[in-house]
Amino acid sequence: MTRSSPCEDYLTLAFDEIRHFGSNSVQVMRRMRAALVGLAEALPGQERVEAVRNYLEHLDRVIGASPFDVEDKRMARQEDRQGIGLSRQSDAT
């Protein structure tokens, strides 16, 4: 059994239910990506940043396996920091 880091535990606590129950919402995925990208940019320490990046990769796998069509998957992989459904960020893919 692999032991998780405290940072991974916090990510699980903060985001797992949102990811699970919001997985059918493009906008929830966009806002969650924005929160995680912002967190990775703000966190000190490579181990913490790596934990966030791993969580982002997990989120992208969830989006990839979702029933969203191709356009919705593309949109779900764009961060939406303002929560208004618009993004100036390029695709994460």
Side-chain angles (χ1 to χ4, degrees), residues 8-23:
E8 290 169 325
D9 291 342
Y10 284 125
L11 290 169
T12 296
L13 180 64
F15 292 107
D16 274 5
E17 282 191 72
I18 298 168
R19 179 181 46 79
H20 178 75
F21 291 105
S23 64

Side-chain angles (χ1 to χ4, degrees), residues 30 78-82 84-91:
R30 289 168 56 94
Q78 292 180 345
E79 294 92 44
D80 182 4
R81 292 179 187 263
Q82 296 178 341
I84 56 175
L86 303 174
S87 178
R88 303 256 187 254
Q89 300 288 327
S90 62
D91 288 352

Side-chain angles (χ1 to χ4, degrees), residues 17-85:
E17 282 191 72
I18 298 168
R19 179 181 46 79
H20 178 75
F21 291 105
S23 64
N24 62 346
S25 169
V26 171
Q27 190 58 19
V28 169
M29 296 294 101
R30 289 168 56 94
R31 295 288 291 146
M32 196 166 157
R33 280 192 60 75
L36 289 162
V37 167
L39 188 59
E41 291 169 354
L43 279 175
Q46 186 60 33
E47 181 182 334
R48 293 174 180 165
V49 171
E50 191 63 33
V52 175
R53 287 191 179 132
N54 288 339
Y55 202 96
L56 274 165
E57 289 173 8
H58 180 83
L59 182 62
D60 285 341
R61 287 191 302 273
V62 168
I63 293 167
S66 75
F68 296 149
D69 64 26
V70 173
E71 180 64 16
D72 283 345
K73 285 180 182 183
R74 185 186 69 75
M75 292 295 292
R77 287 188 176 107
Q78 292 180 345
E79 294 92 44
D80 182 4
R81 292 179 187 263
Q82 296 178 341
I84 56 175

